[in-house]
């Protein structure tokens, strides 16, 4: 597992060095510490679902700490905002050219659908497991089941029996994937004549406007939030925008050798952003009950914004400043964390149905058994999924199928 900064070449040898799942577009730098942050995100999601199935969510402080581990979804969204937006804007500061939109969409398709179809098909075929509710096959296989495209009951209408209820976030991710090229084209047109510094502020200003509009829509205008808003990118623009903002800052700062004082401080003490994130998370857990979705809208708004800030603070040492020193590097670059991040998508897909089988609807095991059992089983399933399905398919991310076949025949 590569754990150092890596700037890929255009040759095919690059994919032999960098794992296919995390290989960036050609000539764009990779941010390897993000792999470890993916591990933190997926373990957080697994933890909150295991705590729910194991009856560990309560009004106690420990119960609230477990309940708010749903921040893992926020971390995933912030990571996506950074990693997917940066290649499109790197050329503004002399970096590699933006990837072609068809190639970008192809890579997103290969990253999401094959592994998802595998687990969905298993849940449909194996007796006692459910991945489709009310016989609505096409919305689940198309990954649009939380969007208002059909009238039947969806996975979120029966989360206790649907083994893929957690995939609402994948639908949100897909709406982000679809909207990102449109945002890129619009901002390129609006800022094409601006110098790097002016471009950076224009980009950040646009992200602030979009995030504010998202918050106003869901917390001031609509009550309750309609399905087209709550099940799409529109409700989570703040979280994606925070990652995109870090991508803009990363590109702009790479345009010259100068660094603001705050980045110099982060480079010397990368633990500071993490300390701030943990302090804010502790305050949130001490203040908010274990059921944030049942709170007043103002409290849900505070939680929504706080989650975004915490996730961004966790990402900062992994993408800005010196990424080769300090506690964040030691944690995120650990081989176990890096490998868990590599197979994190499979863990995310498999873990929820396992908590169902170990929890009250299945074996009725206590929290620790549900937690450890889910971690062990879902990690094993994820490893098989990655090495048997995902990794072979992802070899096509930057290559044509006929080239791969010809290379295999030659070998």
């Amino acid at each position: 597992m590569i754990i150092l900064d890596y700037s890929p070449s255009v040759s095919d040898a690059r994919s032999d060095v960098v794992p296919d799942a995390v290989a960036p577009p050609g000539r764009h730098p990779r941010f390897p510490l993000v792999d470890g942050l993916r591990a933190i995100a997926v373990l957080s999601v697994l933890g909150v679902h295991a705590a729910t199935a194991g009856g560990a969510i309560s009004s106690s402080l420990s119960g609230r700490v477990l309940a708010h581990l749903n921040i893992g979804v926020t971390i995933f969204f912030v990571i996506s905002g950074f990693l997917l937006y940066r290649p499109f804007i790197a050329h503004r500061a002399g970096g590699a050219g933006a990837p072609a939109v068809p190639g970008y969409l192809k890579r997103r398709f290969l990253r999401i659908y094959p592994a998802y179809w595998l687990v969905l098909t298993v849940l449909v075929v194996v007796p006692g497991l459910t991945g489709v509710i009310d016989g609505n096959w096409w919305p689940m296989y198309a990954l649009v089941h939380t969007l208002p495209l059909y009238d039947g009951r969806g996975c979120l209408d029966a989360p206790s029996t649907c083994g893929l209820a957690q995939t609402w976030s994948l639908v949100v991710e897909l709406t982000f994937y679809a909207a990102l090229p449109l945002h890129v084209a619009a901002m390129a047109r609006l800022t094409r004549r601006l110098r790097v510094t002016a471009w950076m502020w224009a980009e950040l200003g646009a992200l602030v406007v979009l995030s504010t509009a998202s918050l106003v829509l869901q917390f001031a205008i609509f009550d309750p939030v309609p399905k087209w808003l709550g099940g799409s990118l529109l409700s989570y623009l703040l979280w994606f925008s925070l990652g995109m903002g870090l991508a803009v800052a990363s590109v702009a700062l790479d345009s010259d050798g100068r660094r603001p004082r705050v980045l110099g401080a982060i480079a010397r003490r990368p633990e500071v952003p993490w300390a701030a994130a943990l302090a804010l998370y502790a305050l949130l857990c001490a203040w908010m009950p274990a059921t944030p979705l049942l709170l007043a809208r103002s409290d849900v708004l505070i939680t929504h914004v706080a989650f975004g800030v915490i996730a961004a603070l966790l990402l900062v040492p992994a993408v800005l400043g010196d990424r080769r020193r300090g506690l964040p590097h030691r944690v995120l670059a650990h081989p176990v964390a890096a490998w868990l991040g590599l197979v994190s998508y499979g863990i995310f897909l498999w873990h929820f149905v396992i908590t169902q089988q170990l929890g009250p609807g299945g074996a009725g095991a206590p929290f620790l058994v549900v937690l450890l059992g889910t971690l062990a089983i879902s990690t094993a399933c994820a490893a098989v999924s990655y090495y048997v399905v995902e990794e072979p398919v992802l070899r096509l991310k930057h290559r044509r199928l006929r080239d791969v076949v010809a290379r295999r025949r030659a070998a």
Side-chain angles (χ1 to χ4, degrees):
M1 176 62 62
I2 302 299
I3 59 176
L4 299 178
D5 285 353
Y6 175 77
S7 297
S9 66
V10 296
S11 66
D12 284 344
R14 175 178 56 78
S15 293
D16 296 331
V17 177
V18 181
D20 293 298
V22 293
R27 301 184 302 278
H28 286 276
R30 186 167 107 78
F31 296 85
L33 295 187
V34 173
D35 300 347
L37 195 58
R38 285 194 186 98
I40 292 176
V42 78
L43 292 179
S44 297
V45 174
L46 185 151
V48 70
H49 289 149
T52 302
I57 304 296
S58 67
S59 59
S60 66
L61 180 58
S62 62
R64 294 198 295 270
V65 169
L66 291 172
H68 291 292
L69 287 177
N70 55 352
I71 194 176
V73 174
T74 313
I75 298 173
F76 275 129
F77 286 177
V78 173
I79 289 174
S80 290
F82 177 86
L83 291 181
L84 296 184
Y85 194 43
R86 196 183 193 282
F88 280 110
I89 58 175
H91 66 280
R92 296 302 301 253
V101 172
Y104 154 79
L105 294 175
K106 169 190 171 183
R107 290 189 293 274
R108 293 299 91 206
F109 176 86
L110 294 176
R111 186 71 184 100
I112 295 298
Y113 278 99
Y116 168 73
W117 284 336
L118 170 65
V119 65
L120 176 57
T121 302
V122 169
L123 266 57
V124 168
V125 172
V126 176
L129 304 180
T130 303
V132 174
I133 301 297
D134 261 6
N136 286 299
W137 289 62
W138 78 264
M140 290 297 299
Y141 273 92
L143 253 181
V144 296
H145 52 281
T146 62
L147 297 176
L149 300 177
Y150 71 105
D151 296 328
R153 295 172 68 235
C155 221
L156 286 181
D157 298 317
S160 61
T161 57
C162 179
L164 288 171
Q166 83 282 18
T167 55
W168 67 267
S169 62
L170 289 184
V171 182
V172 174
E173 285 269 10
L174 287 178
T175 61
F176 173 66
Y177 298 164
L180 185 59
L182 302 178
H183 177 82
V184 170
M187 292 307 300
R189 184 175 182 84
L190 292 173
T191 64
R192 64 184 182 274
R193 299 183 184 277
L194 299 181
R195 295 182 180 273
V196 173
T197 301
W199 163 80
M200 178 187 72
W201 290 114
E203 286 270 2
L204 295 177
L207 293 174
V208 169
V209 171
L210 291 173
S211 300
T212 303
S214 171
L215 296 177
V216 170
L217 279 175
Q218 59 182 319
F219 293 106
I221 295 180
F222 291 103
D223 186 13
V225 175
K227 196 172 184 179
W228 61 265
L229 176 60
S232 70
L233 161 71
L234 296 176
S235 277
Y236 304 94
L237 265 170
L238 172 65
W239 296 351
F240 288 106
S241 293
L242 286 166
M244 294 166 70
L246 287 175
V248 171
S250 171
V251 170
L253 293 170
D254 281 349
S255 64
D256 56 46
R258 295 177 295 176
R259 290 288 186 271
R261 291 183 179 179
V262 64
L263 278 187
I266 292 174
R268 291 189 299 271
R269 299 294 300 275
E271 303 86 3
V272 172
W274 274 28
L278 291 176
L280 183 55
Y281 185 76
L283 287 174
L284 192 69
C285 293
W287 181 26
M288 294 292 183
T291 53
L293 295 180
L294 301 180
L295 298 178
R297 299 189 82 190
S298 59
D299 291 336
V300 179
L301 170 61
I302 293 171
T303 303
H304 186 87
V305 174
F307 272 17
V309 173
I310 293 168
L313 287 171
L314 291 175
L315 182 60
V316 163
V319 298
L320 298 178
D322 188 351
R323 300 185 292 273
R324 295 168 295 182
R325 58 184 296 179
L327 178 63
H329 173 267
R330 292 195 296 272
V331 173
L332 300 180
H334 192 281
V336 174
W339 183 80
L340 287 174
L342 180 68
V343 301
S344 59
Y345 183 48
I347 296 175
F348 173 81
L349 289 175
W350 288 99
H351 82 277
F352 190 76
V353 68
I354 298 170
T355 63
Q356 290 180 318
Q357 299 304 307
L358 296 179
F367 165 60
L368 283 179
V369 175
V370 175
L371 177 66
L372 297 177
T374 300
L375 178 61
I377 298 172
S378 62
T379 301
C381 292
V384 174
S385 172
Y386 177 74
Y387 292 110
V388 175
V389 176
E390 296 172 61
E391 198 272 342
V393 169
L394 288 170
R395 292 174 186 165
L396 303 176
K397 281 173 63 175
H398 305 289
R399 310 177 199 173
R400 293 176 297 181
L401 177 60
R402 64 182 182 183
D403 293 339
V404 174
V405 173
R407 185 179 179 184
R408 287 296 183 91
R409 288 176 176 173

